Amino acid sequence: MLHKKLFLLDGLSLIYRAHFAFDKAAITTAHGVKTGAILGFVQTLVAVLQKEVPTHLVVAFDSKEKNFRHALFPAYKSHRQTQPEDISIAISYIKNILDAFGIAVVECIGYEADDLLGTLAKKAASIGFTSYIMSTDKDLAQIVQDNIYLYKPGSNGQKEIVLGKKEILAQWHITRPEQVCDILALQGDASDFIPGIPSIGKKTAQKLIQTFDNLENLLKNSHQLTGKLKEKVIQYASQGILSKQLATICTDVPITLDLEKCSYHGPNREKLEPLLTTLEFRQLKKRLLGLTTDLPIQKPPVNHLL
């Protein structure tokens, strides 16, 4: 019996990763379309398909609308620069490429891709799947359990990194993956503009959670602290609670895990070939659609979009 193996990809995270990796190369088509981010994303996707041979795949994207975290904290991610036009163009092409590969794409208004990935991973785990969340976002460490892993693609010749429960606990110096939320609630997260509690860094946050187990218990027993630390924890208690809400990945997003739609059967030549031609990906086209390709090719065409 074939092992059920679900790969959950953080679409925008991987596109940005590819964008920065290929930005200096300035790869463009004859019509001036910058294609570095697209090429890097597709190369990463193909590497996973060939090396890991997943039985099911889903790519999650953030919705364009603000999500529930903005309602809690309007400044959430407010420091980030406007999305580059090249990225917006790349997303459109990549969604078409994913369609041609027969790979499911999912978005949900009011939620981030992390929430979708966490929800689908938990749903898959409940029915016996092994899931690999492919992203560069450290927040997703809180989702890891015995059959859910973080998968960080390799770069610059480096091998990919797979983090399971054991690795996450050692990396964060915690006893349960969900305590990642408590660590972030205390130290904050500059990348998402999560404030945390002032003057508490990584090591202090880890020490406090090792002692008190979670943020709520720490606040309940703040009288046991001393000096400036005690003052800060008491003064910024509500900010700590807010920070934990912002850092916690929602795992009950109202979406379904459609096993038929996210089952992987290989690319559709009739859809993929014109896309690769337009993007002038000659070598990739030969590699994927030539006689020596080791990816299965759909015949007849099948659409697996959610």
Side-chain angles (χ1 to χ4, degrees), residues 27-127:
I27 304 172
T28 61
T29 67
H31 298 286
V33 177
K34 290 187 178 181
T35 57
I38 306 169
L39 179 61
F41 180 92
V42 176
Q43 288 179 337
T44 297
L45 173 65
V46 171
V48 167
L49 293 173
Q50 293 178 332
K51 183 171 184 177
E52 304 298 342
V53 194
T55 58
H56 299 73
L57 288 103
V58 178
V59 180
F61 284 92
D62 299 326
S63 66
K64 295 180 181 179
E65 297 79 4
K66 290 186 176 182
N67 59 70
F68 72 92
R69 293 180 179 86
H70 292 100
L72 291 170
F73 185 52
Y76 180 67
K77 291 188 177 181
S78 61
H79 64 305
R80 293 193 176 184
Q81 296 181 347
T82 303
Q83 183 172 284
E85 184 181 0
D86 294 342
I87 294 290
S88 300
I89 293 172
I91 291 172
S92 179
Y93 276 107
I94 285 169
K95 286 183 176 179
N96 288 331
I97 290 171
L98 290 170
D99 179 26
F101 267 89
I103 294 175
V105 171
V106 61
E107 298 177 20
C108 188
I109 294 175
Y111 297 93
E112 295 182 75
D114 286 359
D115 302 313
L116 309 183
L117 297 170
T119 296
L120 293 174
K122 293 288 187 179
K123 286 179 180 290
S126 70
I127 55 174

Side-chain angles (χ1 to χ4, degrees), residues 69 72-73 75-80 112 114 137-139 142 180-198 200 215 238-249:
R69 293 180 179 86
L72 291 170
F73 185 52
Y76 180 67
K77 291 188 177 181
S78 61
H79 64 305
R80 293 193 176 184
E112 295 182 75
D114 286 359
D137 195 335
K138 62 180 179 297
D139 297 6
Q142 65 191 265
V180 166
C181 304
D182 299 288
I183 298 290
L184 294 174
L186 292 173
Q187 72 177 50
D189 186 351
S191 64
D192 289 341
F193 212 46
I194 295 176
I197 294 180
I200 293 184
L215 174 68
S238 60
Q239 186 166 292
I241 293 171
L242 170 63
S243 296
K244 184 170 180 177
Q245 291 176 309
L246 297 173
T248 300
I249 292 174

Side-chain angles (χ1 to χ4, degrees), residues 289-304:
L289 302 177
L291 296 176
T292 59
T293 181
D294 56 354
L295 287 175
I297 302 295
Q298 286 182 22
K299 293 182 180 180
V302 178
N303 188 343
H304 287 290

Side-chain angles (χ1 to χ4, degrees), residues 129-159:
F129 274 73
T130 298
S131 297
Y132 295 84
I133 300 176
M134 193 168 174
S135 175
T136 59
D137 195 335
K138 62 180 179 297
D139 297 6
L140 285 160
Q142 65 191 265
I143 301 299
V144 171
Q145 59 186 56
D146 289 340
N147 51 353
I148 298 177
Y149 298 84
L150 287 189
Y151 188 101
K152 297 188 177 183
S155 60
N156 299 321
Q158 297 295 316
K159 188 178 179 182

